[in-house]
Amino acid sequence: MINALGKFVIDYLKWVKGVVILFMDILYWTFIGPFKGKAAHREAIFYQMSFVGVRSIIIVFFVDIFTGIVIAMQTAYQFEKMGAGIYVAALVAIALCRELSPVLTALVVAGRVGSAIAAELGTMKVSEQIEALDTMAINPVRFLAVPRFLALLLMLPCLTILGDIAGIIGGYIVGNGTLHINTDLYFQTTFKYLKCKDIYTGLIKSGVFAVIIALIGCFEGLNTRGGAEGVGRGTTRSVVISFILIILADCILTAFFYFSKV
Amino acid sequence: MSEAVKIDPIISLRNVSKSFQGNKIIDNVNLDIYPGETFVIMGCSGSGKSTLLRLMTGALRPEEGSVLIKGKDIASISEAQLDEVKKGFGMTFQYSALLDSLSVEDNVALPIKEHTKLADEIIDIIIKMKLALVGLRGYEKYLPSQISGGMRKRVGLARAIALDPDIVFYDEPTSGLDPVVGGVIDHLIKDLSVKLCITSVVVTHDMQSVFAIGDRIAMVHKGKIVEVGTPDEIRNSKNPYIQQFINGKPEGPIDFFKEDIGIIQALGL
């Protein structure tokens, strides 16, 4: 029992150490590498941005618009009793921008992109492609992880903004269709209560989530062992761990923003 | 009698040992490989021959001993210095290890684009030259998934020689190929080492290949070098390990089961 517990703790610490080292490596190749003439390939970054961002637009849009609709209906149910139906507009916008859009977008992207990163890098690892890069004196972190990291860091906040807009449209559909709030009044109320800080705290969160998704996807992929089964295991682990860390980071960041009155 | 000219080995292993999880996989190995020769390392699966190759390429670092490539000990140099050494050699892999997402020409161009500042037109010419050397002109735009296993190995070879290396390491170059394609690859290895004056280090257990291409052959068993010699010396060796291996006999000193566990003990009876 104690042995098993000890082994678990040691394995966990080794995992944390591995992730931290990879993070340092990615930061080195992102910010210091270019000054040594070893920048990541621009085409690779654009390709990954298209994969991470452009191809996630539809799914993020639908997830957030439906969430906006659901939040609007659930709150309208309560607010109408108090004759405060108009405040649905403010609540939907603030809830989406501060919390739901960053988290849901990150979860969708972790499921779609994080798993793809882990599976692709894992397959490359078990088919000796990573070793081949290493033998050609091409650093796998610079060549593979940095473009994915940068693409996520740039595109996830963009997707979050798209999610914010989609959510507000979802809220408007319910507000206008069911609660009969006219368009002008709905958007006036939205922007009266929605502050800049609601948007940027959400974007800060999405930046942190992007780091989590890229880091876990790349780490699990680059450390895959044991053939096809290992690739499957790494992919599942990357999604599960990303989900847990996204929710955990969300909790910590929300507490930080709440207590620091940001 | 004329005095023999002393040539320095291009690869030299001195008292090299490597363990994994307490098991000694390479045990105090000494080996010299000379410029221009095709050196074959043969041995059973799990004998440590691939580990030996990875120690020479710097993918693994030994716990003891030194690995000298052109006089530089790669066991004790920094990653950046090791990268410089790596640019001087190429390697082909058992499963080709071509990047799936890149076309044949991009795979061959990869090391050139990464390590030189040549113009695209020059790189294009080099790619065409390298692909011509392995007989694959006209396949530039294909993806690795669209060509056969033997062709993938040849693209891997073109990639390995892209930077005109002095040394090429081959990990199981003919495994998984039919005998004819295997023969083509063997011919290519021999041909390239003569044409381009490359030192070739080949790890294989394909006996046809061993005698077809080897200038010198080493047999590895349980992490130790059993014998090193020319193809004739190996063929006529009295060593029972070598005789069992080259004739593929199930009986002999090379055991495939745990030595001291009989079936009764293994079953716990």
Side-chain angles (χ1 to χ4, degrees), chain B residues 38-103:
Chain B
T38 301
F39 192 88
V40 179
I41 300 170
M42 63 178 191
C44 303
S45 304
S47 60
K49 57 188 191 306
S50 286
T51 308
L52 203 55
L53 193 75
R54 276 158 182 76
L55 285 166
M56 292 185 206
T57 62
L60 296 173
R61 296 209 182 203
E63 279 128 29
E64 291 164 39
S66 52
V67 180
L68 299 159
I69 306 271
K70 293 184 231 169
K72 199 175 263 183
D73 184 5
I74 62 165
S76 57
I77 56 177
S78 70
E79 285 294 325
Q81 288 169 313
L82 181 60
D83 277 353
E84 286 308 310
V85 176
K86 281 177 181 173
K87 287 177 198 169
F89 62 70
M91 181 166 177
T92 71
F93 292 83
Q94 191 173 356
Y95 303 107
S96 318
L98 301 176
L99 301 194
D100 299 327
S101 53
L102 302 182
S103 65

Side-chain angles (χ1 to χ4, degrees), chain A residues 10-70:
Chain A
I10 289 169
D11 285 350
Y12 175 73
L13 290 176
K14 271 187 193 162
W15 183 87
V16 172
K17 184 182 157 200
V19 172
V20 170
I21 289 173
L22 177 65
F23 188 42
M24 294 298 158
D25 234 12
I26 290 177
L27 290 181
Y28 175 84
W29 287 112
T30 307
F31 298 108
I32 300 172
F35 294 106
K36 297 193 168 183
K38 293 273 179 189
H41 289 263
R42 210 173 302 157
E43 308 92 71
I45 298 171
F46 286 137
Y47 177 80
Q48 290 299 329
M49 280 171 74
S50 148
F51 175 68
V52 172
V54 180
R55 294 195 218 162
S56 300
I57 286 176
I58 294 173
I59 184 168
V60 165
F61 183 81
F62 279 108
V63 165
D64 284 296
I65 200 168
F66 290 134
T67 308
I69 291 171
V70 169

Side-chain angles (χ1 to χ4, degrees), chain B residues 11 16 44 56 65 204 209 238:
Chain B
I11 303 171
V16 170
C44 303
M56 292 185 206
T204 186
S209 194
K238 295 276 182 288

Side-chain angles (χ1 to χ4, degrees), chain B residues 234-247:
Chain B
I234 292 291
R235 218 178 266 125
N236 301 322
S237 168
K238 295 276 182 288
N239 191 314
Y241 284 96
I242 290 179
Q243 281 309 318
Q244 186 191 353
F245 187 79
I246 62 175
N247 295 313

Side-chain angles (χ1 to χ4, degrees), chain B residues 99-117:
Chain B
L99 301 194
D100 299 327
S101 53
L102 302 182
S103 65
V104 165
E105 63 177 351
D106 288 340
N107 264 291
V108 180
L110 187 61
I112 311 174
K113 284 184 178 164
E114 283 288 326
H115 300 309
T116 69
K117 291 190 167 63

Side-chain angles (χ1 to χ4, degrees), chain A:
Chain A
M1 174 68 190
I2 291 170
N3 276 351
L5 192 70
K7 191 179 175 311
F8 175 78
V9 172
I10 289 169
D11 285 350
Y12 175 73
L13 290 176
K14 271 187 193 162
W15 183 87
V16 172
K17 184 182 157 200
V19 172
V20 170
I21 289 173
L22 177 65
F23 188 42
M24 294 298 158
D25 234 12
I26 290 177
L27 290 181
Y28 175 84
W29 287 112
T30 307
F31 298 108
I32 300 172
F35 294 106
K36 297 193 168 183
K38 293 273 179 189
H41 289 263
R42 210 173 302 157
E43 308 92 71
I45 298 171
F46 286 137
Y47 177 80
Q48 290 299 329
M49 280 171 74
S50 148
F51 175 68
V52 172
V54 180
R55 294 195 218 162
S56 300
I57 286 176
I58 294 173
I59 184 168
V60 165
F61 183 81
F62 279 108
V63 165
D64 284 296
I65 200 168
F66 290 134
T67 308
I69 291 171
V70 169
I71 297 285
M73 288 196 291
Q74 296 283 24
T75 49
Y77 172 68
Q78 294 288 324
F79 280 13
E80 265 190 320
K81 288 179 189 167
M82 299 182 279
I86 183 67
Y87 291 107
V88 166
L91 191 137
V92 167
I94 292 171
L96 256 299
C97 292
R98 283 190 82 107
E99 178 64 34
L100 290 168
S101 171
V103 173
L104 289 175
T105 307
L107 293 180
V108 166
V109 171
R112 205 188 88 82
V113 178
S115 60
I117 292 175
E120 189 184 356
L121 299 193
T123 309
M124 290 181 79
K125 176 76 192 282
V126 299
S127 59
E128 298 176 324
Q129 293 175 47
I130 306 274
E131 193 187 338
L133 285 175
D134 210 32
T135 311
M136 288 186 277
I138 299 172
N139 187 294
V141 172
R142 174 174 69 83
F143 192 77
L144 299 168
V146 171
R148 286 161 176 79
F149 175 80
L150 284 176
L152 270 161
L153 201 58
L154 295 170
M155 295 316 281
L156 195 58
C158 295
L159 288 170
T160 303
I161 292 172
L162 173 81
D164 293 349
I165 296 166
I168 291 170
I169 293 171
Y172 167 72
I173 292 170
V174 175
N176 189 255
T178 317
L179 303 174
H180 307 295
I181 305 167
N182 80 35
T183 308
D184 276 355
L185 186 60
Y186 188 91
F187 286 107
Q188 262 178 24
T189 316
T190 298
F191 293 114
K192 187 177 166 195
Y193 291 98
L194 185 67
K195 298 280 178 281
C196 222
K197 69 177 183 190
D198 298 327
I199 297 170
Y200 74 69
T201 53
L203 294 183
I204 291 171
K205 280 183 182 179
S206 79
V208 175
F209 300 156
V211 172
I212 291 172
I213 297 167
L215 203 53
I216 302 301
C218 290
F219 181 80
E220 291 298 332
L222 291 173
N223 288 283
T224 299
R225 280 196 195 90
E229 194 197 343
V231 175
R233 209 170 31 231
T235 309
T236 311
R237 273 174 63 91
S238 84
V239 176
V240 172
I241 296 170
S242 297
F243 272 35
I244 295 169
L245 289 182
I246 286 168
I247 304 289
L248 179 71
D250 182 48
C251 180
I252 294 168
L253 287 169
T254 306
F256 173 75
F257 293 137
Y258 178 72
F259 289 113
S260 64
K261 304 287 177 208
V262 175

